[in-house]
Every structure is written in structure tokens, then in C-alpha cells.
Amino acid sequence: MPANDALSFFMAWTLAPFRIGSVTPSSPSLAALITREIGPETGPVLELGPGTGPFTRALLERGVQERDLTLVEADPDFASLLTRRFPAARVVEMDAAGLRHLSLFDGPHAGAAVSGLPFRLISPRKSSAILEGVFANLRPGAALYQFTFGRRCPFDQTVLDRLDLEAVRIGSTFRNFPPATVYRVSRIKNLSTYDWRFS
């Protein structure tokens, strides 16, 4: 990780700790874990809260085309940095909750979404709005990949139930500060047989 990325991230965190959620950018280990099910066949990818771009770089290493990346970043300094670093990607400077009222594509189009947002610090109401917006932009069967510190799911079960979503833990890494866990969030395939209490 470039030293100036760590400094930029720390400065952003001191100004808005509840929006940034971490004092350092995500590690290469976490970036590899959260993107491991995504590849060139996935097609367009939506990324929320990319910050300095560790997940963005990992997506490119996985074979996703830069032009297939849509990066949603609320911090204007990070958005400007991302525009310089990834000129072929589409950078959208906005709060991710606005996705509920904005279609980024011509219908459900993205093959996956990756999120660096601190959902443990976001209210259930706003989390619900973000998830609604994300899944309105995802193709059927596509998933959102979300990390959290520790092992507990970052989404309230009431939010997942209301939106007919399920969250499955796909892995953890201690090679991140703090240690992190990644969840795959997707539409429940069979509502008649799915019971979240036993997942």
C-alpha cells in the first residue's frame, strides 16, 4: 500500500470516522478475498466506497475490464483520486443511498457489486436504502460482496428479511487491520424453503 494512501485514508477518517469506518485502507489479503468470485466473465461491476482503490485494483487483477467498473464514492477527495488512477472507469461522486432513486445502468445490468462501506456504522434504514439501490442495478443471480470487521454479519436480519436477501459468510482474513470477514449477499432463491435461522 502506498504510504500516501495510508495518510490520505487516515486524514479522511479523522474528519468523518463514521463515514470512513477504518483508519487504514483494506489490505491486499482482504481485497483478494472479497473479489475472488469475480472475473472477466462477470461483466460490469459496481463498487461502493472504493476509497483509495484497493478493491478496484484487485478487480482489475482478477481480469475485470477498467471500463466495466462503476465506482460510487461520496468523498470528493477520494473521487478525484479514483478518477486519476482509473481513467477508464466511471466514477460517480454520491452517497450510495442515492442509488435507490438512480439507475446507473440501462436496467439491471451489473454482474456483481463490491462494497467497502462500514455498514455496522450505518442505520438499518439507510442500509435498506443502499441495498435496494444496489440490487436494482444487479442482474438476477448477481451478488453483493461486503466485508466487516470481526465475524458478525454487518446487516440487520430484519433488513435482509424485508428485502428477501440472504447473507452467507465466504471467508475471513487476519491479514488485515482489524481482521475482517467477507459476506456474499444475494436474493433468496426459494422463499418457500429458506429459513435464515438455520443458515
Side-chain angles (χ1 to χ4, degrees):
M1 170 199 324
N4 58 332
D5 279 12
L7 179 59
S8 297
F9 215 87
F10 178 74
M11 293 302 292
W13 177 82
T14 60
L15 294 173
F18 291 103
R19 183 161 54 83
I20 302 300
S22 176
V23 297
T24 61
S26 299
S27 70
S29 176
L30 175 55
L33 176 61
I34 202 169
T35 60
R36 75 178 183 189
E37 296 184 354
I38 301 173
E41 71 286 349
T42 304
V45 176
L46 175 62
E47 185 179 353
L48 310 179
T52 58
F55 297 164
T56 315
R57 285 189 292 270
L59 287 166
L60 296 175
E61 290 170 4
R62 293 286 304 164
V64 178
Q65 295 295 310
E66 188 173 314
R67 65 178 179 271
D68 283 338
L69 295 174
T70 296
L71 313 177
V72 176
E73 176 56 60
D75 185 279
D77 292 330
F78 285 155
S80 178
L81 175 69
L82 292 165
T83 299
R84 294 193 305 271
R85 283 194 174 162
F86 309 105
R90 177 168 56 153
V91 178
V92 182
E93 186 182 327
M94 64 176 288
D95 187 313
L99 291 173
R100 184 179 185 186
H101 306 290
L102 175 67
S103 179
L104 293 175
F105 308 98
D106 184 18
H109 188 62
V114 174
S115 170
L117 298 177
F119 276 99
R120 295 277 291 274
L121 302 177
I122 298 174
S123 71
R125 182 176 180 178
K126 186 171 182 178
S127 294
S128 181
I130 294 171
L131 288 173
E132 281 186 45
V134 168
F135 279 90
N137 283 282
L138 292 182
R139 295 194 301 255
L144 163 69
Y145 296 88
Q146 174 67 47
F147 83 93
T148 186
F149 299 131
R151 294 178 62 82
R152 186 166 66 86
C153 181
F155 301 106
D156 282 3
Q157 190 61 51
T158 54
V159 172
L160 296 176
D161 288 345
R162 190 177 74 77
L163 300 175
D164 297 329
L165 299 174
E166 61 178 330
V168 176
R169 187 170 58 240
I170 63 170
S172 300
T173 178
F174 290 99
R175 296 171 62 191
N176 189 76
F177 179 77
T181 300
V182 172
Y183 282 80
R184 182 199 310 112
V185 182
S186 56
R187 294 283 187 197
I188 296 173
K189 292 185 176 65
N190 188 343
L191 294 176
S192 64
T193 61
Y194 177 75
D195 190 332
W196 62 266
R197 293 170 296 179
F198 303 107
S199 64

